Amino acid sequence: MSAHRRKTTTRRRPPSRRRRLVRTLLVTGCALAVTAGGGAWYLYRDLAAGIGSSKVLEGAEKSAAGDTNILLIGLDSRRDQNGEKLPQEVLDQLHAGSSDIGGYNANTLILLHVPGDGGRATAFSVPRDDFVDIPGHGKDKIKKAYGLAKAHKEGQLAAQGVKDSRQLEREGREAGRASQIATVRDFLGVPVDHFAELNLAGFYHLADALGGVPVCLNKAVKDRYSGADFPAGPQTLDGRQSLAFVRQRHGLEGGDLDRTKRQQAFLAGATKKLNSAGTFTDPVKLIKLIDAAKQDVVTDQGWDLPAFVRQAKSLSGGRVRFTTLPVERFGRNLGEDINVVDDMKIKRLIAEQIGPKASASPGAPSASAGAPGATPGAREASPPPSSPPSPSAPQDGGGIPCVD
């Protein structure tokens, strides 16, 4: 019996120093990872709270059945959130010209519809030159809603004796956001639950924070206006290249309408990179991304960004369908090129794709350019060489759609 005990004791040797050290390191490493991850998440929440916020959606109508409509606004602005000019070295890097040009046109307008039932999301690109009703300003290009309202508000404040440049900029931008959102909401016939606004530098910083954005081109392009100079095929764009990519319209057969496809391709590549790079599960990468957003992004005050970031992970796996809203024909208004659109047709298309439960009741259609009651000076131009495109075919945000 004692021999048996001695034999058993011989088998159960205490762990060697090396094995104890390895086990201790593993346990300690896991504990540090959990602690660091949790600490990073709380730090991320603090950073997210530091992103610029707006009150323009307080009390606004909300989507039904848990659906969410998010309006993405890309401003063609060479100024920061305080209205200060971007440094010249930044402008040179962005290939964006002087700080005095560009104004506050919303050159990117994309409505992202996220179904409450977990179904596939849809992103609707609104061409910037669509000729629509702008509340308080008559009919004009939809991109102008922001700048017109901003200038009007600043004029009112200046007449009241307000001289502080930052107050003028802050209140002017709030008026611009309210007008741009109201214009899109009335045009599409759906509520806007949240919005995110970024300027030109935002594309640059977003791409850099992601470590580059993958895109694909059907053919090589070179454009001195935007700085676009890319070979054909799949490639990864840095911040400067990404801005040139989404801004290019010269040299593209469809001009501005083809530029909306570039913006869609950029979003598809960015969401794919977010997922493949593990950004949503890596607190350090997530913090870097949010920290970059603080420089250029403004969102509505009631938006729970941490919750949306967790939801956005599911959107980055090929669950976004991209559509460009149709244009009936091209026209001219007061010397400017415009897109003539059918308001009711747009509302019907939106309702068909996202369901009537999320759509506001469409009102009477406004007059189109060239029709009775249209804005004075509006006229129909000769038909373009190629017909305006119908809504673009659904593209898989999880892949890399090639564009012209």
Side-chain angles (χ1 to χ4, degrees):
M1 186 74 171
S2 59
H4 176 70
R5 286 179 178 172
R6 283 195 300 270
K7 187 176 181 180
T8 302
T9 303
T10 303
R11 278 198 198 117
R12 296 180 180 174
R13 292 178 179 176
S16 66
R17 173 180 290 183
R18 182 177 179 181
R19 288 173 61 194
R20 288 198 304 271
L21 178 61
V22 170
R23 185 172 63 184
T24 301
L25 287 175
L26 285 174
V27 172
T28 303
C30 290
L32 287 174
V34 171
T35 304
W41 182 253
Y42 284 112
L43 178 57
Y44 153 69
R45 291 183 66 92
D46 288 341
L47 286 169
I51 292 177
S53 64
S54 164
K55 297 182 179 180
V56 296
L57 286 179
E58 285 186 354
E61 177 190 4
K62 298 296 183 182
S63 295
D67 292 357
T68 304
N69 291 329
I70 302 165
L71 181 62
L72 307 178
I73 303 173
L75 289 183
D76 189 27
S77 171
R78 279 78 166 166
R79 295 175 181 267
D80 64 18
Q81 293 183 35
N82 295 316
E84 303 293 337
K85 295 180 179 181
L86 296 175
Q88 189 57 49
E89 59 269 22
V90 174
L91 293 172
D92 292 342
Q93 184 73 3
L94 300 181
H95 204 88
S98 167
S99 290
D100 296 322
I101 62 177
Y104 287 87
N105 287 333
N107 280 351
T108 301
L109 290 168
I110 298 176
L111 185 81
L112 177 63
H113 173 74
V114 184
D117 60 6
R120 194 178 194 188
T122 305
F124 299 95
S125 288
V126 183
R128 65 174 188 164
D129 289 340
D130 284 2
F131 196 62
V132 304
D133 280 314
I134 298 176
H137 297 277
K139 290 183 71 71
D140 212 323
K141 297 181 180 182
I142 196 168
K143 69 178 183 181
K144 291 185 177 182
Y146 194 113
L148 288 172
K150 179 179 183 294
H152 181 70
K153 181 64 175 180
E154 289 177 352
Q156 287 182 327
L157 292 172
Q160 296 169 10
V162 177
K163 297 181 179 179
D164 182 76
S165 61
R166 292 204 170 191
Q167 181 183 352
L168 291 170
E169 182 72 13
R170 182 176 64 254
E171 296 193 33
R173 285 204 178 194
E174 279 289 86
R177 291 166 191 138
S179 177
Q180 192 67 69
I181 292 170
T183 301
V184 172
R185 182 181 62 229
D186 294 347
F187 179 46
L188 303 186
V190 295
V192 174
D193 301 288
H194 301 295
F195 82 93
E197 168 196 310
L198 73 164
N199 60 14
L200 284 179
F203 287 98
Y204 174 88
H205 292 133
L206 172 62
D208 271 3
L210 290 174
V213 173
V215 300
C216 179
L217 285 172
N218 288 320
K219 55 187 177 183
V221 296
K222 188 168 185 177
D223 170 38
R224 67 183 180 88
Y225 296 99
S226 65
D229 186 1
F230 309 121
Q235 54 207 285
T236 298
L237 307 182
D238 62 20
R240 179 185 60 80
Q241 294 170 325
S242 294
L243 183 60
F245 180 78
V246 298
R247 291 182 65 231
Q248 185 187 2
R249 61 187 175 93
H250 296 282
L252 302 180
E253 184 177 350
D256 268 352
L257 297 180
D258 278 348
R259 177 155 69 170
T260 64
K261 298 177 183 177
R262 296 291 188 91
Q263 295 166 355
Q264 294 168 1
F266 177 85
L267 278 179
T271 52
K272 179 178 177 64
K273 185 64 177 286
L274 281 167
N275 195 41
S276 63
T279 306
F280 293 115
T281 56
D282 186 330
V284 176
K285 291 181 179 179
L286 195 55
I287 288 170
K288 181 180 178 182
L289 179 64
I290 297 298
D291 198 30
K294 289 170 62 178
Q295 304 176 66
D296 315 292
V297 178
V298 175
T299 67
D300 56 286
Q301 196 170 63
W303 195 359
D304 185 351
L305 284 177
F308 180 71
V309 164
R310 292 192 292 272
Q311 181 185 30
K313 184 179 185 301
S314 65
L315 299 180
S316 61
R319 296 175 59 80
V320 181
R321 174 178 57 189
F322 292 93
T323 298
T324 300
L325 296 180
V327 171
E328 298 303 306
R329 57 190 180 275
F330 301 134
R332 300 277 292 175
N333 179 60
L334 302 179
E336 294 184 327
D337 293 327
I338 61 171
N339 299 331
V340 181
V341 295
D342 184 331
D343 300 53
M344 292 304 295
K345 181 178 179 179
I346 296 292
K347 289 179 173 67
R348 286 195 300 270
L349 183 149
I350 296 291
E352 289 168 0
Q353 294 211 25
I354 69 177
K357 67 181 184 303
S359 301
S361 299
S366 55
S368 298
T375 300
R379 65 181 179 83
E380 185 177 336
S382 301
S386 58
S387 299
S390 57
S392 57
Q395 298 179 4
D396 188 350
I400 302 296
C402 286
V403 294
D404 292 329

